[in-house]
Amino acid sequence: MFADRVLSGMRPTGSLHLGHYHGVLKNWLTLQQKYECLFFVADWHALTTHYDAPEIIEQNTWNMVIDWLAAGVDPSQATLFIQSKVPAHAELYLLLSMITPLGWLERVPTYKDQQEKLTEKDLSTYGFLGYPLLQSADILIYRANLVPVGEDQAPHLEFTREISRRFNHIFGKEPGFEEKASQAIKKLGSKKSRLYRELRNRYQEHGDENALAEARSLLEEQQNLNTGDRERLFGYLEGGGRIILSEPETLLTKASKMPGLDGQKMSKSYGNTIGLREDADSVRKKIRTMPTDPARIRRSDPGDPAKCPVWQFHLLYSPDEVRDWVQQGCTTAGIGCLECKQPVIESILAEQAPILERARMYEEDPALMRNIVADGCEKANRLAEETMRDVREALGLSYL
Ligand code: SF4
């Protein structure tokens, strides 16, 4: 019932590395060409776990936006903004909290997981418990129907869907709903009104899903309906009330294949990362000192690439002929490990070159980036307000 819209955010808790590039940013670059995209810096989310280190937020925020732009996120295709600059996120979060059963939050799998993992932090806080609800508000406020998530985040999205259903169920039943729906049907014009009623009957009396789909597309085509009437007619079709908050769908993304320097997944918490904009000498040094197959103690010992983290990098970066050369050379001790690592170093430096080039432009003129973000915040505020008008009205809060 609303236009396709993608929402995705990142917490500014540290500088981005190649794992972020391969796992998230490259996906964003594809999405921005297909859909309306909103990408945001989740600075309030960062505070849920880093409330004791507010000094990191601002610097990381600007660095992260530079990383996004440098990676190729295009502000003419996507809207870039900062969560805390759109205060309506907090308003919706608060309003949703009124109807969120505590048990729903406690059951979100990451809640206990993270508390157990991050033992050095005290996460027995209200903010941390409410983290998935804030995430729901982020999504629902833009009526974003497409949310790219990895499999581990899918329960969060399901939670958001439940919240939106609950909200619509409680607040979508406005007084005089039937009468208002009838008035809205009339606005479709006589032919389409008749068709709408016919399709609604077919769906409600016979469970005809095709009729429901046809009725929905009929409504989607209508230009002359305001949002309130549109919500009513979508809700009326299914026998419910207004659909004020839309249910998002998961855009499942493949888990990043980016290996870390030690062969585990690349992650800041494992200390095995290569920065997106790390300088060339440091990249060379990190790759050269990477562990290899422990069986290759001497240059003359043959090895097995399957037991070597460097091979994971070849799988990601190297063409077949280089991989064949590694297989052959490693298993026969025909090449040394430093030799084997050289093509990886070159591939990483080649990948970083255009990123560094674009980043330089924003580093030299930060106003350029800040203007992009200011424009993005303005647009995000406008979009959020469209939803909040309906939300406030439904909750009896639109006094003025
Ligand atoms: S030759 Fe390459 S694949 Fe083999 S152990 Fe050394 S670095 Fe690893």
Side-chain angles (χ1 to χ4, degrees), residues 93-393:
Y93 170 54
L94 171 83
L95 296 175
L96 293 177
S97 76
M98 308 296 175
I99 58 156
T100 304
L102 263 182
W104 288 18
L105 286 165
E106 286 159 350
R107 273 201 307 274
V108 173
T110 45
Y111 176 60
K112 287 239 151 54
D113 271 17
Q114 293 283 313
Q115 272 192 331
E116 280 160 19
K117 260 191 213 151
L118 304 172
T119 41
E120 75 282 8
K121 289 183 190 287
D122 177 9
L123 293 180
S124 312
T125 59
Y126 171 62
F128 186 67
L129 177 69
Y131 169 76
L133 189 63
L134 180 57
Q135 224 170 31
S136 300
D138 300 333
I139 297 167
L140 296 173
I141 204 164
Y142 298 108
R143 290 168 167 154
N145 58 331
L146 302 170
V147 183
V149 291
E151 269 171 39
D152 54 332
Q153 288 281 311
H156 280 194
L157 207 70
E158 191 45 43
F159 173 83
T160 301
R161 291 161 58 81
E162 281 172 12
I163 293 288
S164 89
R165 280 197 287 268
R166 186 169 167 82
F167 184 94
N168 291 330
H169 178 72
I170 298 175
F171 301 112
K173 289 196 171 54
E174 56 187 342
F177 174 73
E178 297 270 331
E179 176 53 28
K180 283 181 184 165
S182 287
Q183 293 300 329
I185 294 172
K186 284 190 191 139
K187 292 182 191 163
L188 296 173
S190 59
K191 222 166 123 190
K192 286 180 181 161
S193 299
R194 220 173 22 251
L195 179 60
Y196 174 87
R197 286 192 188 279
E198 238 176 74
L199 293 168
R200 179 175 180 268
N201 284 346
R202 267 168 51 199
Y203 174 67
Q204 293 208 353
E205 286 168 21
H206 309 290
D208 183 342
E209 293 285 341
N210 290 335
L212 177 64
E214 206 182 317
R216 281 180 177 155
S217 47
L218 173 76
L219 292 177
E220 264 150 25
E221 286 161 15
Q222 300 314 302
Q223 308 290 337
N224 58 337
L225 289 177
N226 61 33
T227 316
D229 282 340
R230 192 175 292 270
E231 289 162 357
R232 281 177 198 107
L233 292 190
F234 271 97
Y236 190 61
L237 260 185
E238 296 177 63
R242 286 173 66 184
I243 295 177
I244 302 163
L245 299 177
S246 58
E247 287 181 37
E249 299 292 333
T250 310
L251 259 182
L252 257 193
T253 54
K254 283 192 225 132
S256 166
K257 294 239 163 44
M258 189 74 210
L261 292 162
D262 55 0
Q264 301 187 79
K265 183 182 171 208
M266 186 174 279
S267 161
K268 193 176 65 167
S269 46
Y270 299 142
N272 62 1
T273 61
I274 296 174
L276 188 66
R277 291 186 274 145
E278 188 148 342
D279 75 70
D281 283 345
S282 170
V283 172
R284 283 191 199 97
K285 191 166 165 213
K286 281 186 175 176
I287 301 288
R288 283 186 184 141
T289 53
M290 261 181 86
T292 59
D293 177 0
R296 294 206 74 182
I297 298 165
R298 287 176 298 269
R299 166 74 172 74
S300 53
D301 295 329
D304 176 0
K307 295 180 182 154
C308 175
V310 180
W311 175 242
Q312 301 299 319
F313 280 77
H314 279 296
L315 288 177
L316 186 69
Y317 285 109
S318 301
D320 285 347
E321 59 274 20
V322 175
R323 290 188 205 170
D324 292 345
W325 168 78
V326 173
Q327 283 289 347
Q328 165 72 17
C330 179
T331 50
T332 58
I335 57 172
C337 289
L338 276 180
E339 221 176 315
C340 176
K341 290 171 172 178
Q342 193 53 32
V344 170
I345 294 174
E346 281 159 22
S347 297
I348 293 176
L349 296 182
E351 180 170 67
Q352 286 177 317
I355 296 176
L356 290 168
E357 178 65 33
R358 277 191 292 263
R360 198 165 308 124
M361 185 167 77
Y362 297 104
E363 284 162 350
E364 283 168 8
D365 185 2
L368 213 56
M369 167 195 54
R370 285 172 193 254
N371 288 340
I372 290 169
V373 173
D375 288 351
C377 292
E378 198 185 312
K379 177 166 176 200
N381 271 296
R382 212 167 48 239
L383 295 175
E385 234 0 76
E386 283 172 15
T387 310
M388 288 312 294
R389 262 198 300 274
D390 292 341
V391 167
R392 291 183 203 116
E393 187 197 324

